[in-house]
Amino acid sequence: DIQMTQSPSTLSASVGDSVTITCRASQSISDWLAWYQQKPGKAPKLLIYKASNLESGVPSRFSGSGSGTEFTLAISNLQPDDFATYYCQQYDVYSWTFGQGTEVEI
Amino acid sequence: QVHLVESGGGVVQPGKSLRLSCAASGFTFSNHGMHWVRQAPGKGLEWVAVIWYDATDKYYANSVKGRFTISRDNSRNTMYLQMDSLRAEDTAMYYCARGGGGTNALDYWGQGTLVTVSS
């Protein structure tokens, strides 16, 4: 099975900052990588699909990049609503796997 | 508007069974693959199972293979997860999620139903 490793586990930032979260796959997954945001007590929300495609309705301050085994989620001009936990998710041959999550905190 | 509502969670003893349901509305259910994803208390997300739009294919995480069965009834716009031989480590919030067509992402999620396995 493909393993997904996110870093960092926790990220401290301030409103207005730009931050980057990295996700590494144990083997190449082409661009089958998605990013989700989850707030406490809520369901995850899709932000980015196929590594770099912004889901409809998601603010343009979120962006994704990468292919193969290394991917990044960038958030510019961090807003109070962005403080949450972020997960990457890969797809490979009928198996979906999530990273362990990155908590973005104030 | 896409709406997914899970039900059927509760407290169950180890070794017993439980069936979860996911009622869908606001989209053509029979056009989409559907997933179950779980989250143990304070932990990350774990993909559990997927069923194709027409139920011809089903795939499971190794942790539940042979114990859980995913199914769907397109006439009722509902998906199910039959969970047998439950273990303490199956304790989690269980979410249903819609497959996003050709993206292999999960584009809409329900609010979840809590399953607690405890004696």
Side-chain angles (χ1 to χ4, degrees):
Chain A
D1 290 357
I2 295 179
Q3 307 302 316
M4 305 300 292
T5 304
Q6 273 183 248
S7 60
S9 297
T10 306
L11 194 160
S12 296
S14 302
V15 172
D17 285 354
S18 293
V19 299
T20 299
I21 298 169
T22 298
C23 189
R24 289 186 173 87
S26 57
Q27 63 190 72
S28 178
I29 56 170
S30 184
D31 61 356
W32 294 117
L33 194 285
W35 290 97
Y36 302 84
Q37 177 194 68
Q38 187 180 33
K39 297 180 181 178
K42 300 295 186 181
K45 172 188 173 183
L46 177 65
L47 300 174
I48 302 283
Y49 62 92
K50 286 203 75 180
S52 60
N53 294 272
L54 196 66
E55 176 71 352
S56 176
V58 174
S60 58
R61 62 180 181 273
F62 291 90
S63 63
S65 64
S67 67
T69 62
E70 186 151 338
F71 302 85
T72 59
L73 173 70
I75 314 171
S76 62
N77 188 23
L78 207 60
Q79 296 298 298
D81 192 50
D82 301 336
F83 290 94
T85 300
Y86 294 84
Y87 293 92
C88 62
Q89 168 251 306
Q90 69 83 28
Y91 164 76
D92 176 68
V93 191
Y94 311 130
S95 178
W96 286 254
T97 310
F98 291 90
Q100 77 273 25
T102 295
E103 182 181 4
V104 177
E105 62 178 21
I106 299 174
Chain B
Q1 184 174 352
V2 174
H3 204 45
L4 299 171
V5 179
E6 303 91 339
S7 61
V11 180
V12 61
Q13 293 178 329
K16 300 295 188 182
S17 299
L18 206 60
R19 188 177 85 154
L20 306 183
S21 299
C22 170
S25 60
F27 66 102
T28 304
F29 182 70
S30 58
N31 285 353
H32 287 264
M34 296 292 295
H35 298 254
W36 287 99
V37 176
R38 69 184 181 183
Q39 186 170 36
K43 302 298 185 183
L45 301 169
E46 180 187 15
W47 175 77
V48 172
V50 63
I51 184 167
W52 258 221
Y53 69 98
D54 58 359
T56 53
D57 280 310
K58 307 169 187 180
Y59 297 94
Y60 300 90
N62 288 335
S63 58
V64 306
K65 201 173 295 182
R67 299 187 300 122
F68 289 11
T69 303
I70 191 171
S71 62
R72 64 190 296 160
D73 183 342
N74 285 347
S75 68
R76 297 178 181 269
N77 290 346
T78 302
M79 176 178 66
Y80 305 98
L81 185 68
Q82 176 67 40
M83 304 186 296
D84 298 323
S85 302
L86 282 161
R87 306 167 180 168
E89 54 264 35
D90 295 319
T91 294
M93 182 71 77
Y94 284 74
Y95 296 101
C96 67
R98 190 181 84 165
T103 69
N104 287 310
L106 284 60
D107 61 359
Y108 287 92
W109 298 61
Q111 286 307 300
T113 188
L114 182 62
V115 173
T116 302
V117 183
S118 173
S119 54

